[in-house]
């Protein structure tokens, strides 16, 4: 699952995603009312919801605490919870308590009138390091029927985490809401547990950002890396350089008051915000406002849209006409003194707005052509002895670091900055491959790992979950992939190649790994889609960053994931609500067929979707591929049931048959609603779903015709689907293979293989 955002040369526009109905049900007693409401909205599916309720409910803690002991007993919580503090709580702690009570009511229902509340005793102490990488996050939580609940935290962060854990112990039972008795001792493995949200490619509203911060609080993520400036838009009001938001903001930016509000909202939730203003590349939106700082001519939006009709001067026109203009490529001219002055002053202003000690200056993907095609820059490089563009970039990076250090900030940058002469305290964020973890820590840099956690690659949670932040061989192009990619992209591809000789990190290197971040680049993520593109996958990744490295049971994680997603949605996340709205918009009046189709499919992976979107533009933000989720709970459930059926649980034949009949019958309905080209693009997948569902039914029926002929036909059918998966299994495959036009993969294949292999 190598990253290589380099691979799509076309400018990649934007897109969305998901939801499940019964699929969450497998296990759930939790908030049955909510789930039943969701199920009954699709009459066809109602039958499926019933058998699922028979399963038992696991305790859905995510991230898994360091140690948990469950007594197996429950404590009734119908009367609500009353909080008693040891000492006087700060206003921040009082607000945390109020959020807890509000969320408890959302999960357990309003406290019954006259019911005796459980008492929650909380003790903590001030932590001068709160909201820093040194903050105290440890807490213990004890729930007993005799003594109520005790939360003892080493600092405010521990209180926030302990309350989040307590909410995950709340379950609905037929007797009413209860809290599991538990003894928990907990602290994180890594102090830096982040998500990165790109609001340049698609702007996300203040409310949308706040919803993500709420979900982060509940999953103990503590850093929002906010990517605020890139080719598509500059998203913060600047008083020093007002043209940045007036011109570069394209009418979508946060006022400084809104930024302060979001920073405070995050701080209340134990979340630091690290802003990123990317330099010297990815600066088109800045250069639209201040073109005098650019290395190359900055085309206007009109020029970019109809590039060949413009005559500016011959050279520039040709350059623009040669291919679609790539919004990512425009770069500063670092040889002009006013460029560094601009960056220094911008960072000073933004550094005051964002109080965090760390400041991300980007530094990724600078296109050498931007500088090599500018004779003045080439002459400067010769004169000053810079061998090539990366050498010039390294010198600029060192100057930027100096400027930030003078402002009291620690610079953070993408792993390209580790090639510059910079002080050891600069934090390197690895993205081109895991080998950069080894090289950066070897050089003494703290590291935040994002290679392996790129959410916009649209891989399921299980893929990210397997990647350990200490593993320098987890992610990178294989030798074969690197050879193929190099032929097309040149030697820059070497930075993405796996290092087969990378040694395991020493203890000293491990100490430098601060944690990780899950980036969500938003070329194909609209505001409406962000909840479902971030969650539930960020919850699984949160567990990787918080829990012990030995917590790695994928099946167990996948069982807990729907419950966590439900908790997040019951307390405000809009993933399902937005998916339902998108479905209703696309197929008004008959939402069932599209709902069923998107419940068992997922989007093509590893930037295959970005390639599709580059041909159809923002239309892909409004298509089935934007609704289908990387984690299909319904398909996971089907696959799990199929595995159990072939292992001997024969009574699962009936619910499996019901599900397969639904998928088989769905195509007729889909044919009637697929009235637009984008919906019609998904018709072949709907037909293939019906075809494989028929095979599943035949396999379960132990059809008389299960001879060699049947197996040959059926295996051909499944092999075609397997090939579709293989066609986007990594960055090189997804770049070189044709993709299904709808960008949908059928996720029930593992279950079908199991059923077919079992049929003799
Ligand atoms: C990156 O994905 N260009 C950091």
């Amino acid at each position: 699952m190598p990253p290589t955002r380099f691979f799509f040369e076309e400018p990649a526009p934007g897109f969305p995603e998901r939801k499940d109905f019964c699929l969450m049900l497998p296990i759930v007693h939790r908030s049955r009312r909510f789930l039943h409401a969701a199920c009954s909205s699709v009459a066809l599916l109602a039958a499926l919801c019933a058998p699922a309720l028979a399963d038992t409910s696991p305790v859905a803690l995510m991230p898994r605490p360091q140690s948990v002991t469950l007594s197996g007993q429950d404590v009734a919580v119908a009367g609500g919870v009353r909080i008693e503090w040891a000492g006087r709580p700060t206003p921040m702690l009082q607000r945390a308590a109020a959020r807890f009570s509000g969320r408890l009511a959302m999960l357990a229902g309003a406290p019954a009138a006259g019911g005796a509340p459980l008492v929650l005793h909380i003790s903590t102490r001030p932590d001068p390091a709160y909201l820093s990488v040194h903050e105290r996050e440890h807490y213990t939580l004890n729930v007993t029927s005799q003594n109520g609940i005790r939360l003892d935290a080493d600092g405010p962060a521990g209180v926030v985490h302990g309350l989040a854990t307590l909410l995950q112990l709340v379950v609905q039972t037929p007797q009413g809401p209860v809290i599991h008795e538990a003894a928990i001792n907990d602290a994180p493995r890594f102090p830096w547990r982040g998500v990165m949200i790109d609001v340049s490619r698609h702007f996300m509203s203040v409310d949308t950002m706040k919803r993500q911060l709420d979900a982060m609080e509940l999953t103990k993520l503590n850093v929002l890396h906010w990517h605020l400036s890139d080719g598509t838009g500059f998203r913060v009001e600047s008083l020093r350089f007002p043209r940045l938001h007036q011109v570069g903001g394209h009418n979508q930016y946060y006022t400084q008051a809104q930024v302060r509000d979001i920073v405070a909202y995050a701080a209340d939730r134990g979340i630091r915000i690290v802003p990123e203003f990317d330099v010297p590349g990815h600066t088109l939106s800045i250069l639209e406002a201040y073109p005098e700082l650019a290395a190359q001519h900055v085309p206007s939006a009109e020029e970019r849209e109809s590039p060949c009709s413009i005559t500016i001067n011959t050279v520039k026109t040709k350059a623009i006409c040669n291919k679609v203009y790539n919004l990512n490529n425009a770069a500063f001219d670092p040889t002009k003194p006013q460029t560094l002055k601009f960056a220094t002053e911008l960072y000073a202003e933004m550094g005051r707005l964002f109080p965090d000690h760390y400041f991300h200056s980007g530094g990724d993907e600078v296109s050498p052509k931007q500088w090599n095609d500018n004779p003045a820059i080439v002459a400067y490089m010769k004169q000053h002895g810079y061998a090539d563009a990366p050498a010039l970039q390294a010198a600029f990076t060192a100057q930027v670091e100096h400027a930030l250090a003078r402002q009291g900030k620690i610079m953070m940058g993408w792993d390209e900055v580790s090639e510059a002469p910079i002080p050891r305290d600069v934090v390197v964020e690895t993205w081109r491959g895991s080998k950069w973890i080894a090289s950066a820590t070897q050089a003494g840099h703290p590291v935040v790992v994002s290679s392996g956690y790129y959410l916009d690659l649209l891989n399921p949670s299980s893929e990210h979950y397997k990647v350990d932040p200490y593993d320098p061989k987890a992610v990178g192009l294989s030798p074969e992939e690197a050879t193929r990619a190099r032929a097309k992209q040149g030697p820059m591809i070497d930075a993405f190649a796996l290092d087969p000789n990378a040694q395991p990190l020493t203890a000293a290197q491990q100490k430098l790994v601060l944690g990780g971040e899950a980036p969500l680049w938003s070329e194909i993520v609209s505001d409406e889609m962000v909840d479902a593109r971030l969650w539930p996958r960020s919850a699984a990744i949160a567990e990787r960053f918080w829990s012990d490295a030995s917590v790695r049971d994928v099946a167990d994680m996948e069982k807990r994931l729907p419950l966590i997603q439900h908790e997040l949605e019951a307390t405000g996340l809009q993933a399902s609500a937005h998916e339902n709205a998108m479905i209703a918009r696309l197929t008004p009046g008959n939402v069932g067929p599209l709902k069923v189709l998107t419940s068992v499919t997922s989007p093509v992976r590893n930037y295959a979707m970005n390639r599709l979107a580059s041909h159809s533009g923002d239309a892909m933000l409004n298509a089935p591929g934007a609704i289908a989720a990387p984690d299909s709970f319904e398909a996971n459930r089907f696959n799990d049931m199929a595995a159990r059926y072939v292992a001997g649980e024969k009574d699962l034949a009936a619910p499996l048959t019901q599900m397969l009949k639904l998928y088989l019958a769905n195509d007729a309905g889909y044919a009637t609603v697929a009235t637009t080209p984008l919906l019609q693009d998904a018709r072949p997948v709907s037909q293939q779903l019906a075809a494989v569902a028929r095979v599943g039914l035949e396999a379960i029926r132990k059809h008389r015709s299960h001879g060699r002929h049947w197996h040959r036909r059926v295996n051909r059918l499944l092999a075609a689907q397997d090939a579709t998966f293989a066609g986007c299994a990594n960055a090189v495959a997804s770049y070189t293979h044709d993709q299904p036009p709808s960008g949908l993969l059928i996720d029930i294949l593992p279950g079908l293989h199991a059923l077919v292999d079992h049929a003799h």
Side-chain angles (χ1 to χ4, degrees):
M1 191 188 43
T4 85
R5 296 164 55 69
F6 270 117
F7 280 170
F8 47 96
E9 287 168 334
E10 305 100 317
F15 224 123
E17 156 163 14
R18 115 101 70 200
K19 197 40 352 173
D20 304 82
F21 13 99
C22 304
L23 341 191
M24 310 178 144
L25 292 194
I27 351 204
V28 188
H29 290 181
R30 201 171 253 236
S31 232
R32 222 177 251 187
R33 210 161 15 122
F34 167 89
L35 292 161
H36 274 155
C39 286
S40 62
S41 70
V42 182
L44 261 176
L45 298 172
L48 283 181
C49 298
L53 289 173
D55 296 346
T56 53
S57 169
V59 176
L61 294 174
M62 190 177 285
R64 264 228 196 288
Q66 216 173 62
S67 95
V68 192
T69 309
L70 296 165
S71 74
Q73 303 298 308
D74 296 333
V75 188
V77 71
V81 166
R82 191 182 77 240
I83 295 177
E84 288 189 357
W85 295 92
R88 218 175 132 84
T90 62
M92 175 263 163
L93 289 172
Q94 288 172 23
R95 291 191 294 271
R99 281 198 305 283
F100 169 81
S101 299
R103 288 165 172 160
L104 179 66
M106 291 173 193
L107 292 167
L118 273 174
V119 178
L120 163 58
H121 302 270
I122 305 181
S123 76
T124 186
R125 57 199 165 108
D127 177 9
Y130 179 59
L131 289 180
S132 79
V133 288
H134 305 296
E135 69 183 354
R136 294 195 293 256
E137 302 193 75
H138 171 258
Y139 68 93
T140 60
L141 178 66
N142 288 280
V143 182
T144 62
S145 45
Q146 290 90 3
N147 302 320
I149 310 166
R150 271 206 76 85
L151 169 58
D152 296 303
D154 290 4
V159 173
V160 167
H161 300 326
L163 292 175
T165 301
L166 184 55
L167 286 170
Q168 293 187 346
L169 290 170
V170 175
V171 215
Q172 287 288 353
T173 71
Q175 290 73 43
V178 300
I179 302 184
H180 292 304
E181 277 197 346
I184 289 173
N185 186 358
D186 202 10
R189 180 178 174 208
F190 294 108
W192 191 301
R193 305 177 304 278
V195 297
M196 189 222 76
I197 304 181
D198 165 16
V199 294
S200 177
R201 273 47 174 262
H202 279 94
F203 183 70
M204 311 295 169
S205 72
V206 170
D207 283 350
T208 293
M209 291 309 301
K210 287 183 172 177
R211 284 198 308 280
Q212 313 319 312
L213 290 165
D214 281 327
M216 287 174 68
E217 178 188 18
L218 293 172
T219 49
K220 306 186 177 71
L221 289 164
N222 66 353
V223 181
L224 169 64
H225 166 179
W226 206 0
H227 185 82
L228 287 156
S229 151
D230 211 302
T232 319
F234 186 95
R235 301 304 184 193
V236 182
E237 177 188 27
S238 170
L239 304 180
R240 174 69 188 86
F241 300 109
R243 283 177 61 79
L244 284 176
H245 64 274
Q246 290 164 354
V247 176
H250 300 288
N251 299 319
Q252 288 187 306
Y253 61 88
Y254 307 101
T255 64
Q256 296 210 348
Q258 286 174 320
V259 169
R260 283 194 195 92
D261 177 40
I262 290 177
V263 168
Y265 192 91
D268 252 4
R269 287 153 181 77
I271 299 167
R272 300 161 37 219
I273 296 190
V274 176
E276 180 186 348
F277 295 91
D278 200 343
V279 300
H282 289 276
T283 37
L284 178 62
S285 64
I286 295 177
L287 297 173
E288 286 175 308
Y290 298 96
E292 63 275 19
L293 303 177
Q296 296 290 328
H297 166 73
V298 181
S300 66
E302 282 151 15
E303 286 173 67
R304 296 198 306 261
E305 269 149 38
S306 54
C308 294
S309 64
I310 303 288
T311 44
I312 314 144
N313 72 43
T314 330
V315 177
K316 284 167 186 162
T317 306
K318 260 198 201 141
I320 298 166
C321 284
N322 272 346
K323 64 177 189 176
V324 179
Y325 189 79
N326 187 331
L327 301 182
N328 293 327
N329 282 352
F332 278 152
D333 177 348
T335 68
K336 289 183 175 158
Q338 62 267 40
T339 299
L340 184 64
K341 183 169 182 299
F342 172 88
T344 304
E345 290 179 21
L346 173 65
Y347 283 5
E349 181 184 18
M350 294 302 146
R352 285 190 293 276
L353 202 49
F354 293 94
D356 200 76
H357 203 179
Y358 293 86
F359 194 100
H360 205 304
S361 59
D364 57 320
E365 295 188 301
V366 178
S367 162
K369 264 178 82 60
Q370 291 284 310
W371 296 343
N372 293 339
D373 288 358
N374 178 325
I377 296 178
V378 171
Y380 180 97
M381 285 165 61
K382 252 201 196 120
Q383 190 189 346
H384 291 83
Y386 295 117
D388 52 19
L392 179 60
Q393 184 187 346
F396 181 72
T397 301
Q399 291 175 321
V400 168
E401 190 284 329
H402 251 67
L404 279 170
R406 278 198 306 273
Q407 293 165 14
K409 298 286 184 181
I410 297 180
M411 186 180 116
M412 178 170 184
W414 298 107
D415 55 39
E416 284 93 332
V417 304
S418 65
E419 296 165 280
I422 43 169
R424 281 179 169 208
D425 69 349
V426 170
V427 176
V428 173
E429 180 160 13
T430 67
W431 74 278
R432 289 179 294 178
S434 305
K435 68 181 179 191
W436 294 95
I437 305 166
S439 59
T441 51
Q442 182 90 49
H445 290 294
V447 158
V448 168
V449 179
S450 69
S451 35
Y453 307 113
Y454 264 50
L455 295 171
D456 54 319
L457 287 172
L458 299 177
N459 283 292
S461 294
S462 53
E463 289 297 316
H464 303 299
Y465 195 67
K466 288 174 198 155
V467 176
D468 192 276
Y470 284 161
D471 183 357
K473 290 203 231 184
V475 177
L477 296 177
S478 69
E480 305 76 53
E481 287 165 357
T483 304
R484 292 186 66 188
R486 202 180 287 111
K488 199 168 167 67
Q489 306 277 319
M492 54 72 62
I493 219 67
D494 294 344
F496 296 86
L498 203 67
D499 176 3
N501 301 317
Q503 297 299 307
L505 302 190
T506 63
Q509 285 177 297
Q510 290 186 356
K511 261 210 184 109
L512 287 166
V513 177
L514 296 177
E517 283 184 357
L520 182 65
W521 299 100
S522 64
E523 280 93 348
I524 47 171
V525 184
S526 64
D527 181 288
E528 181 177 46
M529 294 165 65
V530 72
D531 296 46
R533 283 297 190 239
L534 266 179
W535 309 97
R537 291 181 297 158
S538 294
I541 295 172
E543 180 155 289
R544 179 55 49 243
F545 297 157
W546 177 282
S547 305
D548 193 78
S550 62
V551 177
R552 0 188 7 93
D553 181 337
V554 169
D556 179 72
M557 178 276 289
E558 285 180 339
K559 281 210 172 76
R560 287 177 285 134
L561 209 53
L563 300 180
I564 296 305
Q565 182 73 349
H566 167 60
E567 180 203 3
L568 299 181
E569 298 203 283
T571 52
L573 195 72
Q574 296 289 305
S576 300
H578 288 181
E579 180 202 59
N580 289 335
M582 290 163 74
I583 291 176
R585 192 165 66 227
L586 285 177
T587 56
N590 183 8
V591 294
L594 182 55
K595 195 158 178 122
V596 169
L597 181 67
T598 50
S599 76
V600 288
T601 51
S602 60
V604 286
R605 300 167 184 177
N606 300 305
Y607 293 141
M609 196 57 108
N610 297 59
R611 277 183 68 211
L612 289 169
S614 70
H615 300 128
S616 52
D618 272 1
M620 278 305 245
L621 296 165
N622 234 330
I627 300 165
D631 283 300
S632 165
F633 294 161
E634 171 83 352
N636 286 352
R637 175 169 174 261
F638 176 88
N639 294 331
D640 177 59
M641 286 166 69
R644 284 158 49 204
Y645 168 74
V646 303
E649 290 186 46
K650 294 299 168 208
D651 55 353
L652 289 174
L656 281 167
T657 299
Q658 248 177 324
M659 293 167 95
L660 288 163
K661 282 184 173 166
L662 175 69
Y663 309 149
L664 173 60
N666 193 58
D667 184 52
Y670 191 79
T672 66
V673 300
T675 52
T676 66
L678 277 167
L679 288 167
Q680 281 159 6
D681 277 347
R683 180 75 203 287
V685 178
S686 172
Q687 290 168 320
Q688 289 154 22
L689 177 64
V692 296
R694 189 188 299 284
V695 162
L697 287 167
E698 288 169 2
I700 289 177
R701 271 190 223 123
K702 302 252 178 258
H703 212 264
R704 263 196 303 271
S705 62
H706 283 167
R708 240 176 336 149
H709 184 68
W710 182 82
H711 273 284
R712 208 175 302 130
R713 174 175 67 80
V714 160
N715 285 333
R716 244 196 331 266
L717 200 68
L718 297 188
Q721 293 303 319
D722 290 339
T724 312
F725 273 85
C728 63
N730 58 58
V732 175
S734 67
Y735 191 68
T736 49
H737 285 71
D738 285 341
Q739 303 297 328
S742 62
L744 291 178
L745 299 166
I746 296 175
D747 280 332
I748 57 169
L749 280 191
L752 285 163
H753 275 294
L755 294 176
V756 165
D757 291 347
H758 183 67
H760 294 297

